[in-house]
Amino acid sequence: MHKHIEISDELEKTFTPEQKQLFERYWKIGSEITAEENEQLFIFGYIIATQLNIEVKIK
């Protein structure tokens, strides 16, 4: 992650104001996608754990 931020900072130094604005939108959308994926993975893990718990109690 550190390297990713370092490269992003270097890129931003070369951007025009329009490019910087576009890159910030791109970065924000990427963060939103990551947050959504993390939430879905958490929910999936919870569902699996709950199902396994039910199956263990049945047996």
Side-chain angles (χ1 to χ4, degrees):
M1 185 64 170
H2 176 72
K3 194 68 167 172
H4 190 260
I5 292 169
E6 189 178 289
I7 292 170
S8 173
D9 290 344
E10 287 296 315
L11 271 173
E12 285 194 55
K13 291 177 187 177
T14 66
F15 289 157
T16 65
E18 294 82 15
Q19 289 171 325
K20 185 174 183 177
Q21 185 179 26
L22 184 60
F23 184 72
E24 287 171 358
R25 287 177 45 211
Y26 170 80
W27 187 267
K28 181 181 180 204
I29 290 170
S31 295
E32 290 170 358
I33 290 169
T34 299
E36 179 69 27
E37 288 172 342
N38 287 340
E39 181 179 354
Q40 289 177 7
L41 287 170
F42 174 80
I43 292 169
F44 179 73
Y46 180 81
I47 291 168
I48 294 295
T50 302
Q51 185 62 37
L52 288 172
N53 192 27
I54 291 169
E55 289 177 15
V56 166
K57 288 180 180 179
I58 290 173
K59 292 179 182 184

